[in-house]
Amino acid sequence: MIILITGASHTGKTALAQKLLEKYKYPYISMDHLKMGLIRSGNTELTPLSDDGDLTAYLWPIVREIIKTAVENKQNLIVEGCYIPFDWAKDFSKEYLEEIHYYCLVMSEEYINNHFDDIKKYASVIENRLDDSDFTIENAIAENKKNLSLAKKNKVNYILIDGKYEIDV
C-alpha cells in the first residue's frame, strides 16, 4: 500500500507520516528531504526558495517512479510533501491506483484563526524549521483555501481540520 499525504505548509504532513510509521511500520519519504538532498548535492539549480510549481515539476517525476517501484515490489510506503500534484492519479494505470491512497490535509480558515499560535508552536515537532518567519496567518489561510479548492476541483480525498486537530491513524 502506498499512502500519499499532501497539504499546505504546517498542516501536519510529516507528523502524520511519523505516526503512521510508528503504528504500521511503513517507511516514509519526505519530499522535503529529497528536495534538499538534490539541491545540496548540486543535482539541480533549484533552491529551497524556488517556486513550488518548479519544485513539483522537478520532484514529482522522481517520486512517481519511486511509487511505481514500491507497488511493483509489493512494498508499503508513505510519501509526504507539498509537491504532490492534485492531478497525481493521471500518472498511474488502474493497477497502480488500486494500491495508492491519497490524502490532502486542509485547515479551515476558522481553525487557522483560532489556533495560529499552536500551529506555529508545533511547526518543528518532527523537523527543525530554521527560519519560519515567512509563515503568516494570511499565507496559511490563502494556501489552505487554494488547496481545498484544488482538492474539490480534482475530486481527491482531503481531510478538513476544523474545530479540533484530530486525525485518526
Side-chain angles (χ1 to χ4, degrees):
M1 175 188 320
I2 308 298
I3 301 171
L4 305 180
I5 304 169
T6 192
S9 180
H10 294 73
T11 54
K13 299 176 296 294
T14 307
L16 177 57
Q18 182 68 35
K19 285 181 182 181
L20 291 168
L21 165 73
E22 291 167 5
K23 182 170 183 173
Y24 297 107
K25 310 299 184 227
Y26 291 4
Y28 75 86
I29 183 169
S30 164
M31 291 183 77
D32 279 338
H33 289 177
L34 177 62
K35 170 185 77 175
M36 292 310 298
L38 291 164
I39 289 170
R40 288 178 172 171
S41 66
N43 282 292
T44 180
E45 303 259 332
L46 296 169
T47 73
L49 301 176
S50 292
D51 178 75
D52 281 355
D54 292 338
L55 287 163
T56 299
Y58 183 71
L59 294 170
W60 178 244
I62 298 166
V63 172
R64 176 190 68 217
E65 298 309 314
I66 291 170
I67 292 166
K68 287 179 182 177
T69 302
V71 170
E72 291 160 0
N73 287 293
K74 297 178 179 21
Q75 295 170 318
N76 299 313
L77 179 65
I78 301 162
V79 177
E80 67 86 10
C82 61
Y83 307 111
I84 301 170
F86 284 92
D87 63 350
W88 67 273
K90 71 175 177 38
D91 294 328
F92 299 95
S93 66
K94 182 181 178 222
E95 295 76 26
Y96 290 104
L97 289 171
E98 291 172 354
E99 299 297 322
I100 303 171
H101 301 275
Y102 172 100
Y103 302 96
C104 180
L105 304 181
V106 179
M107 292 177 172
S108 72
E109 182 173 354
E110 181 180 358
Y111 182 85
I112 295 167
N113 281 321
N114 292 335
H115 300 280
F116 190 71
D117 289 341
D118 288 333
I119 295 167
K120 291 277 282 189
K121 183 169 88 176
Y122 292 108
S124 294
V125 71
I126 301 294
E127 296 176 330
N128 187 23
R129 295 179 187 267
L130 299 177
D131 180 11
D132 207 23
S133 60
D134 62 338
F135 182 69
T136 65
I137 195 166
E138 296 81 14
N139 290 346
I141 290 169
E143 194 175 352
N144 278 274
K145 276 186 178 180
K146 181 180 109 184
N147 281 359
L148 181 58
S149 174
L150 288 168
K152 288 178 177 180
K153 177 183 172 188
N154 287 279
K155 297 180 173 80
V156 296
N157 293 326
Y158 63 89
I159 298 169
L160 185 62
I161 301 157
D162 204 10
K164 188 175 181 187
Y165 194 109
E166 286 185 329
I167 298 176
D168 186 26
V169 296

